Amino acid sequence: MSKAVAAILVWLTLAVGPMSVSASPSIAAGSDIVEVGDTFTIQVSITGAETLSTWQFDLAFDPTILEANSVSEGDMTLLSEGAIVNSSGLITIIAGSFSDVFFNPLFAGVLANIEFTALAAGTTALALSDVQFDAPPAETTIFAGTVTVNGQVPEPGTLALV
């Protein structure tokens, strides 16, 4: 190959710029350590979501340890809170879409905030399932969260019993 042709190919490669790299998204439920009776928030986050515009997931937990109170919006999202079924420890069809059309094509941020109350001591997984995207990637990595609840509910003082 002549030097002129090689120089033109190098110039074209630099002029066109880097090719886009296809990313595989990761979705993760947060983790926390709390005390019995605490109310706290767990975030469900995503990274590497290429041109994501809509999404959906379910979240399961141990209903003897936690009670789900509410689901609220994360970063730049419009949210459908899904259905909280505390008796079975499941929040179904948490779904959303981005409210800003100029989102980063490799979005990383919070999809939803889930508020819980700790009912009893123990550890529970926060398992994500039925994860769906508008343009399904070839591979999605899903990370479960964990909540550890310490302690016991304090007993009322003598004066409170009178």
Side-chain angles (χ1 to χ4, degrees), residues 22-38:
S22 180
S24 15
S26 295
I27 184 169
S31 296
D32 206 348
I33 299 172
V34 298
E35 300 295 322
V36 171
D38 286 354

Side-chain angles (χ1 to χ4, degrees), residues 70-118:
S70 64
V71 178
S72 61
E73 294 177 345
D75 301 330
M76 303 184 326
T77 61
L78 299 173
L79 185 74
S80 169
E81 295 88 7
I84 296 173
V85 185
N86 278 312
S87 60
S88 62
L90 187 62
I91 307 172
T92 59
I93 314 174
I94 302 168
S97 63
F98 290 101
S99 59
D100 185 351
V101 294
F102 301 108
F103 64 90
N104 181 341
L106 285 175
F107 179 76
V110 177
L111 296 177
N113 296 295
I114 304 172
E115 181 183 277
F116 290 98
T117 298

Side-chain angles (χ1 to χ4, degrees), residues 29-33 40 42 66 122-127 143-149:
S31 296
D32 206 348
I33 299 172
F40 61 98
I42 292 291
L66 300 179
T123 299
T124 180
L126 300 175
F143 296 100
T146 303
V147 174
T148 299
V149 180

Side-chain angles (χ1 to χ4, degrees), residues 124-138:
T124 180
L126 300 175
L128 296 163
S129 63
D130 196 21
V131 176
Q132 298 179 26
F133 301 116
D134 56 337

